[in-house]
Amino acid sequence: MKKTLKMIGVIAGVLVLSACLFACGGGDGDKAADGNKTYLIGTDTTFAPFEYQDENGEYVGVDIELLAAIAEDQGFKYELKPLGFDAAVAALESGQVDGVIAGMSITKERQKVYDFSPAYYDSGVVVATKSDAAYESYEDMKGMTLAVKNGTEGAEFAESIKDEYNLTLKYFDESPMMYQEVLSGGVAGCVEDYPVMGYGIKNGNGLKMVGDMVQGSSYGFAVLKGQNAELLEMFNAGLENIKADGTYQEILDKYISEE
């Protein structure tokens, strides 16, 4: 009787172990679980032509369409969270979103905190002022106040030339707020990413560029360092695929003129 009970116990143990290995093992089971996940992706609210709202209130732009095309190519689900740049980065660092695509420059400092995709757009920064202002160079703007956007490469550039040109910097959360401050005369000019300012000028924002574009860092998709590696891998693979099939260039051509 004891032998019988012991044998039953051994068989039961084997069955439990087998069930556990089947349930907890890798392979197709993990893939099915990942397939059910919806990733939360933070983005800016107004950074045309990369992300902005159209006349119907829908978010559109280079970043928005790239993300959609890559998700379709790789078969993952996501929910877009338009939060503003600072808030999107803060949400990523606190684990409230899984990734950020927001015209985010890949810099050495940021690479200490985030893992980036390969660059999907090469950018730069430029100073802009009212279209009828007399400023033609940085020298003309000595001692003036410039508007900059929190946490951006434009802000870093302005800080780097602040002492040389005796500049005062005024910080804003959104690009349109900077532009309005320039137009109202509250500041002499603002610092913005070149393609964004070019798009705005083309669409009649009332500003003009001062001096040449300063070569900046490229834009990348970011996840928190050491986390969401599977999402980053899918983004990278999808980006490569849509570049190969022409979708990537179609999206750029739609929003950014070579001019």
Short mmCIF file of all heavy atoms in Angstrom, two decimals, residues 46-92:
data_model
loop_
_atom_site.label_atom_id
_atom_site.label_comp_id
_atom_site.label_asym_id
_atom_site.label_seq_id
_atom_site.Cartn_x
_atom_site.Cartn_y
_atom_site.Cartn_z
N THR A 46 2.79 69.07 -30.16
CA THR A 46 2.90 69.99 -31.30
C THR A 46 4.36 70.11 -31.70
O THR A 46 5.12 70.85 -31.08
CB THR A 46 2.35 71.38 -30.93
OG1 THR A 46 1.02 71.24 -30.44
CG2 THR A 46 2.33 72.28 -32.15
N PHE A 47 4.73 69.39 -32.75
CA PHE A 47 6.10 69.43 -33.25
C PHE A 47 6.06 69.12 -34.74
O PHE A 47 6.66 68.18 -35.23
CB PHE A 47 6.97 68.42 -32.49
CG PHE A 47 8.45 68.58 -32.68
CD1 PHE A 47 9.09 69.75 -32.31
CD2 PHE A 47 9.21 67.56 -33.21
CE1 PHE A 47 10.47 69.89 -32.47
CE2 PHE A 47 10.59 67.69 -33.38
CZ PHE A 47 11.21 68.86 -33.00
N ALA A 48 5.26 69.92 -35.44
CA ALA A 48 5.09 69.70 -36.88
C ALA A 48 6.43 69.91 -37.60
O ALA A 48 7.20 70.79 -37.22
CB ALA A 48 4.06 70.68 -37.43
N PRO A 49 6.74 69.08 -38.62
CA PRO A 49 5.87 68.09 -39.25
C PRO A 49 6.01 66.67 -38.69
O PRO A 49 5.62 65.71 -39.33
CB PRO A 49 6.36 68.13 -40.70
CG PRO A 49 7.84 68.36 -40.56
CD PRO A 49 7.99 69.29 -39.38
N PHE A 50 6.55 66.54 -37.48
CA PHE A 50 6.76 65.19 -36.93
C PHE A 50 5.56 64.68 -36.14
O PHE A 50 5.24 63.50 -36.21
CB PHE A 50 8.04 65.16 -36.10
CG PHE A 50 9.27 65.32 -36.94
CD1 PHE A 50 9.79 66.58 -37.21
CD2 PHE A 50 9.87 64.22 -37.53
CE1 PHE A 50 10.90 66.74 -38.03
CE2 PHE A 50 10.96 64.36 -38.36
CZ PHE A 50 11.48 65.62 -38.61
N GLU A 51 4.91 65.56 -35.38
CA GLU A 51 3.65 65.20 -34.74
C GLU A 51 2.85 66.48 -34.47
O GLU A 51 3.38 67.44 -33.94
CB GLU A 51 3.83 64.42 -33.43
CG GLU A 51 4.87 64.96 -32.50
CD GLU A 51 6.20 64.25 -32.68
OE1 GLU A 51 6.22 63.11 -33.18
OE2 GLU A 51 7.22 64.85 -32.31
N TYR A 52 1.60 66.46 -34.91
CA TYR A 52 0.70 67.59 -34.69
C TYR A 52 -0.72 67.13 -35.01
O TYR A 52 -0.93 66.05 -35.58
CB TYR A 52 1.09 68.79 -35.56
CG TYR A 52 1.01 68.53 -37.06
CD1 TYR A 52 -0.09 68.94 -37.80
CD2 TYR A 52 2.05 67.88 -37.73
CE1 TYR A 52 -0.16 68.71 -39.17
CE2 TYR A 52 1.99 67.65 -39.10
CZ TYR A 52 0.89 68.07 -39.81
OH TYR A 52 0.81 67.84 -41.16
N GLN A 53 -1.71 67.95 -34.64
CA GLN A 53 -3.10 67.61 -34.91
C GLN A 53 -3.57 68.25 -36.21
O GLN A 53 -3.30 69.43 -36.46
CB GLN A 53 -3.99 68.08 -33.76
CG GLN A 53 -3.86 67.24 -32.49
CD GLN A 53 -4.75 67.73 -31.38
OE1 GLN A 53 -4.52 68.79 -30.81
NE2 GLN A 53 -5.78 66.97 -31.07
N ASP A 54 -4.27 67.46 -37.02
CA ASP A 54 -4.81 68.00 -38.26
C ASP A 54 -6.15 68.69 -37.99
O ASP A 54 -6.56 68.85 -36.83
CB ASP A 54 -4.94 66.90 -39.33
CG ASP A 54 -5.94 65.81 -38.95
OD1 ASP A 54 -6.71 66.00 -37.98
OD2 ASP A 54 -5.94 64.76 -39.62
N GLU A 55 -6.83 69.09 -39.04
CA GLU A 55 -8.09 69.83 -38.89
C GLU A 55 -9.19 69.00 -38.22
O GLU A 55 -10.17 69.55 -37.71
CB GLU A 55 -8.59 70.34 -40.25
CG GLU A 55 -8.89 69.27 -41.28
CD GLU A 55 -7.65 68.82 -42.05
OE1 GLU A 55 -6.54 69.24 -41.70
OE2 GLU A 55 -7.82 68.02 -43.00
N ASN A 56 -9.02 67.68 -38.22
CA ASN A 56 -10.00 66.81 -37.57
C ASN A 56 -9.62 66.44 -36.14
O ASN A 56 -10.30 65.63 -35.49
CB ASN A 56 -10.18 65.52 -38.39
CG ASN A 56 -10.68 65.80 -39.79
OD1 ASN A 56 -11.61 66.60 -39.98
ND2 ASN A 56 -10.09 65.16 -40.79
N GLY A 57 -8.51 67.01 -35.67
CA GLY A 57 -8.06 66.71 -34.32
C GLY A 57 -7.28 65.42 -34.20
O GLY A 57 -6.95 64.99 -33.10
N GLU A 58 -6.96 64.81 -35.34
CA GLU A 58 -6.19 63.57 -35.34
C GLU A 58 -4.69 63.88 -35.36
O GLU A 58 -4.26 64.82 -36.03
CB GLU A 58 -6.54 62.72 -36.56
CG GLU A 58 -8.00 62.28 -36.63
CD GLU A 58 -8.35 61.28 -35.53
OE1 GLU A 58 -7.47 60.48 -35.17
OE2 GLU A 58 -9.50 61.33 -35.06
N TYR A 59 -3.92 63.06 -34.65
CA TYR A 59 -2.47 63.26 -34.66
C TYR A 59 -1.87 62.66 -35.93
O TYR A 59 -2.13 61.50 -36.27
CB TYR A 59 -1.83 62.67 -33.41
CG TYR A 59 -1.94 63.61 -32.23
CD1 TYR A 59 -3.01 63.52 -31.35
CD2 TYR A 59 -1.00 64.62 -32.03
CE1 TYR A 59 -3.14 64.42 -30.29
CE2 TYR A 59 -1.12 65.51 -30.98
CZ TYR A 59 -2.19 65.41 -30.11
OH TYR A 59 -2.32 66.30 -29.08
N VAL A 60 -1.08 63.47 -36.62
CA VAL A 60 -0.45 63.08 -37.88
C VAL A 60 1.01 63.54 -37.84
O VAL A 60 1.44 64.20 -36.90
CB VAL A 60 -1.18 63.70 -39.09
CG1 VAL A 60 -2.60 63.17 -39.20
CG2 VAL A 60 -1.19 65.23 -38.99
N GLY A 61 1.75 63.21 -38.88
CA GLY A 61 3.13 63.65 -38.97
C GLY A 61 4.08 62.50 -39.25
O GLY A 61 3.69 61.33 -39.29
N VAL A 62 5.34 62.84 -39.45
CA VAL A 62 6.37 61.85 -39.78
C VAL A 62 6.44 60.76 -38.71
O VAL A 62 6.39 59.56 -39.02
CB VAL A 62 7.74 62.52 -39.95
CG1 VAL A 62 8.83 61.47 -40.16
CG2 VAL A 62 7.74 63.50 -41.11
N ASP A 63 6.59 61.16 -37.45
CA ASP A 63 6.73 60.18 -36.37
C ASP A 63 5.50 59.28 -36.26
O ASP A 63 5.62 58.07 -36.05
CB ASP A 63 6.96 60.89 -35.03
CG ASP A 63 8.34 61.50 -34.92
OD1 ASP A 63 9.19 61.22 -35.79
OD2 ASP A 63 8.57 62.26 -33.97
N ILE A 64 4.33 59.89 -36.39
CA ILE A 64 3.08 59.14 -36.24
C ILE A 64 2.94 58.09 -37.33
O ILE A 64 2.57 56.93 -37.06
CB ILE A 64 1.87 60.10 -36.28
CG1 ILE A 64 2.05 61.27 -35.29
CG2 ILE A 64 0.58 59.35 -36.00
CD1 ILE A 64 2.29 60.87 -33.87
N GLU A 65 3.24 58.46 -38.56
CA GLU A 65 3.10 57.52 -39.67
C GLU A 65 4.22 56.48 -39.69
O GLU A 65 3.98 55.32 -40.07
CB GLU A 65 3.03 58.28 -41.00
CG GLU A 65 1.76 59.09 -41.14
CD GLU A 65 1.38 59.35 -42.59
OE1 GLU A 65 1.83 58.60 -43.48
OE2 GLU A 65 0.62 60.31 -42.83
N LEU A 66 5.42 56.87 -39.28
CA LEU A 66 6.50 55.88 -39.18
C LEU A 66 6.15 54.80 -38.18
O LEU A 66 6.32 53.60 -38.44
CB LEU A 66 7.82 56.56 -38.78
CG LEU A 66 8.59 57.33 -39.85
CD1 LEU A 66 9.86 57.91 -39.25
CD2 LEU A 66 8.94 56.44 -41.03
N LEU A 67 5.67 55.23 -37.01
CA LEU A 67 5.30 54.28 -35.97
C LEU A 67 4.21 53.33 -36.45
O LEU A 67 4.28 52.12 -36.24
CB LEU A 67 4.85 55.02 -34.71
CG LEU A 67 4.39 54.17 -33.54
CD1 LEU A 67 5.51 53.25 -33.04
CD2 LEU A 67 3.88 55.05 -32.40
N ALA A 68 3.20 53.89 -37.12
CA ALA A 68 2.09 53.07 -37.62
C ALA A 68 2.58 52.05 -38.65
O ALA A 68 2.18 50.87 -38.62
CB ALA A 68 1.02 53.97 -38.23
N ALA A 69 3.44 52.49 -39.56
CA ALA A 69 3.96 51.59 -40.60
C ALA A 69 4.83 50.49 -40.00
O ALA A 69 4.77 49.32 -40.41
CB ALA A 69 4.75 52.39 -41.63
N ILE A 70 5.64 50.84 -39.01
CA ILE A 70 6.52 49.85 -38.37
C ILE A 70 5.71 48.85 -37.57
O ILE A 70 5.97 47.64 -37.60
CB ILE A 70 7.56 50.57 -37.48
CG1 ILE A 70 8.58 51.28 -38.38
CG2 ILE A 70 8.25 49.60 -36.54
CD1 ILE A 70 9.49 52.24 -37.64
N ALA A 71 4.69 49.32 -36.85
CA ALA A 71 3.83 48.43 -36.07
C ALA A 71 3.09 47.45 -36.98
O ALA A 71 2.97 46.26 -36.67
CB ALA A 71 2.84 49.25 -35.25
N GLU A 72 2.63 47.95 -38.12
CA GLU A 72 1.95 47.07 -39.08
C GLU A 72 2.92 46.04 -39.64
O GLU A 72 2.58 44.86 -39.77
CB GLU A 72 1.35 47.91 -40.21
CG GLU A 72 0.59 47.06 -41.22
CD GLU A 72 -0.06 47.90 -42.31
OE1 GLU A 72 0.07 49.15 -42.27
OE2 GLU A 72 -0.69 47.31 -43.22
N ASP A 73 4.12 46.47 -39.96
CA ASP A 73 5.13 45.56 -40.51
C ASP A 73 5.49 44.46 -39.51
O ASP A 73 5.67 43.29 -39.90
CB ASP A 73 6.38 46.35 -40.89
CG ASP A 73 7.48 45.48 -41.45
OD1 ASP A 73 7.44 45.18 -42.66
OD2 ASP A 73 8.38 45.07 -40.68
N GLN A 74 5.59 44.82 -38.24
CA GLN A 74 6.04 43.87 -37.21
C GLN A 74 4.89 43.19 -36.46
O GLN A 74 5.12 42.26 -35.70
CB GLN A 74 6.93 44.60 -36.20
CG GLN A 74 8.25 45.07 -36.78
CD GLN A 74 9.13 43.90 -37.18
OE1 GLN A 74 9.53 43.11 -36.32
NE2 GLN A 74 9.46 43.78 -38.46
N GLY A 75 3.68 43.66 -36.66
CA GLY A 75 2.52 43.02 -36.05
C GLY A 75 2.36 43.25 -34.57
O GLY A 75 1.86 42.39 -33.85
N PHE A 76 2.78 44.43 -34.07
CA PHE A 76 2.55 44.71 -32.65
C PHE A 76 1.51 45.82 -32.50
O PHE A 76 1.30 46.65 -33.39
CB PHE A 76 3.84 45.05 -31.92
CG PHE A 76 4.52 46.34 -32.30
CD1 PHE A 76 4.13 47.57 -31.77
CD2 PHE A 76 5.59 46.34 -33.20
CE1 PHE A 76 4.77 48.75 -32.11
CE2 PHE A 76 6.25 47.52 -33.55
CZ PHE A 76 5.83 48.72 -33.01
N LYS A 77 0.85 45.83 -31.34
CA LYS A 77 -0.18 46.81 -31.04
C LYS A 77 0.39 47.90 -30.15
O LYS A 77 1.24 47.62 -29.32
CB LYS A 77 -1.37 46.14 -30.35
CG LYS A 77 -2.10 45.13 -31.22
CD LYS A 77 -3.26 44.48 -30.49
CE LYS A 77 -2.79 43.54 -29.39
NZ LYS A 77 -3.91 42.82 -28.75
N TYR A 78 -0.13 49.11 -30.33
CA TYR A 78 0.34 50.21 -29.48
C TYR A 78 -0.78 51.22 -29.28
O TYR A 78 -1.75 51.27 -30.04
CB TYR A 78 1.55 50.91 -30.12
CG TYR A 78 1.23 51.70 -31.37
CD1 TYR A 78 0.92 53.07 -31.30
CD2 TYR A 78 1.20 51.08 -32.62
CE1 TYR A 78 0.61 53.78 -32.43
CE2 TYR A 78 0.91 51.80 -33.76
CZ TYR A 78 0.61 53.15 -33.66
OH TYR A 78 0.30 53.85 -34.80
N GLU A 79 -0.62 52.02 -28.25
CA GLU A 79 -1.53 53.13 -27.98
C GLU A 79 -0.69 54.40 -27.88
O GLU A 79 0.26 54.46 -27.11
CB GLU A 79 -2.30 52.91 -26.68
CG GLU A 79 -3.28 54.02 -26.35
CD GLU A 79 -4.02 53.78 -25.04
OE1 GLU A 79 -4.04 52.62 -24.57
OE2 GLU A 79 -4.56 54.76 -24.48
N LEU A 80 -1.03 55.39 -28.69
CA LEU A 80 -0.27 56.64 -28.72
C LEU A 80 -0.68 57.54 -27.56
O LEU A 80 -1.87 57.72 -27.27
CB LEU A 80 -0.51 57.36 -30.04
CG LEU A 80 0.45 58.49 -30.39
CD1 LEU A 80 1.85 57.95 -30.64
CD2 LEU A 80 -0.05 59.25 -31.62
N LYS A 81 0.31 58.12 -26.88
CA LYS A 81 0.06 59.01 -25.75
C LYS A 81 0.69 60.38 -26.05
O LYS A 81 1.86 60.60 -25.75
CB LYS A 81 0.68 58.43 -24.47
CG LYS A 81 0.05 57.12 -24.00
CD LYS A 81 -1.33 57.36 -23.43
CE LYS A 81 -1.93 56.11 -22.83
NZ LYS A 81 -3.28 56.34 -22.28
N PRO A 82 -0.07 61.31 -26.63
CA PRO A 82 0.47 62.66 -26.87
C PRO A 82 0.53 63.43 -25.55
O PRO A 82 -0.49 63.85 -25.03
CB PRO A 82 -0.54 63.29 -27.85
CG PRO A 82 -1.38 62.14 -28.33
CD PRO A 82 -1.41 61.16 -27.22
N LEU A 83 1.72 63.62 -25.02
CA LEU A 83 1.89 64.18 -23.68
C LEU A 83 2.65 65.49 -23.65
O LEU A 83 2.61 66.21 -22.65
CB LEU A 83 2.65 63.17 -22.80
CG LEU A 83 2.02 61.79 -22.64
CD1 LEU A 83 3.00 60.84 -21.95
CD2 LEU A 83 0.73 61.89 -21.83
N GLY A 84 3.34 65.84 -24.74
CA GLY A 84 4.33 66.92 -24.70
C GLY A 84 5.69 66.29 -24.47
O GLY A 84 5.79 65.21 -23.86
N PHE A 85 6.74 66.93 -24.95
CA PHE A 85 8.06 66.30 -24.93
C PHE A 85 8.53 66.00 -23.51
O PHE A 85 8.90 64.87 -23.19
CB PHE A 85 9.09 67.18 -25.66
CG PHE A 85 10.43 66.51 -25.78
CD1 PHE A 85 10.66 65.58 -26.77
CD2 PHE A 85 11.46 66.80 -24.89
CE1 PHE A 85 11.88 64.94 -26.89
CE2 PHE A 85 12.69 66.17 -25.00
CZ PHE A 85 12.90 65.24 -26.00
N ASP A 86 8.55 67.00 -22.65
CA ASP A 86 9.02 66.80 -21.27
C ASP A 86 8.23 65.72 -20.56
O ASP A 86 8.79 64.85 -19.89
CB ASP A 86 8.92 68.11 -20.47
CG ASP A 86 10.16 68.98 -20.65
OD1 ASP A 86 11.09 68.54 -21.33
OD2 ASP A 86 10.17 70.10 -20.10
N ALA A 87 6.91 65.78 -20.71
CA ALA A 87 6.04 64.82 -20.02
C ALA A 87 6.22 63.41 -20.58
O ALA A 87 6.16 62.43 -19.83
CB ALA A 87 4.58 65.26 -20.15
N ALA A 88 6.45 63.31 -21.89
CA ALA A 88 6.66 61.99 -22.50
C ALA A 88 7.94 61.34 -21.98
O ALA A 88 7.97 60.14 -21.66
CB ALA A 88 6.71 62.11 -24.02
N VAL A 89 9.00 62.14 -21.87
CA VAL A 89 10.28 61.64 -21.35
C VAL A 89 10.14 61.24 -19.87
O VAL A 89 10.64 60.20 -19.45
CB VAL A 89 11.39 62.69 -21.55
CG1 VAL A 89 12.65 62.27 -20.82
CG2 VAL A 89 11.67 62.87 -23.03
N ALA A 90 9.44 62.07 -19.11
CA ALA A 90 9.22 61.77 -17.69
C ALA A 90 8.39 60.49 -17.54
O ALA A 90 8.66 59.66 -16.66
CB ALA A 90 8.51 62.93 -17.00
N ALA A 91 7.41 60.30 -18.41
CA ALA A 91 6.58 59.10 -18.37
C ALA A 91 7.41 57.86 -18.70
O ALA A 91 7.20 56.78 -18.13
CB ALA A 91 5.41 59.23 -19.34
N LEU A 92 8.35 58.00 -19.63
CA LEU A 92 9.22 56.88 -19.98
C LEU A 92 10.10 56.50 -18.79
O LEU A 92 10.25 55.32 -18.45
CB LEU A 92 10.10 57.26 -21.18
CG LEU A 92 11.07 56.19 -21.69
CD1 LEU A 92 10.32 54.92 -22.11
CD2 LEU A 92 11.90 56.73 -22.85
#
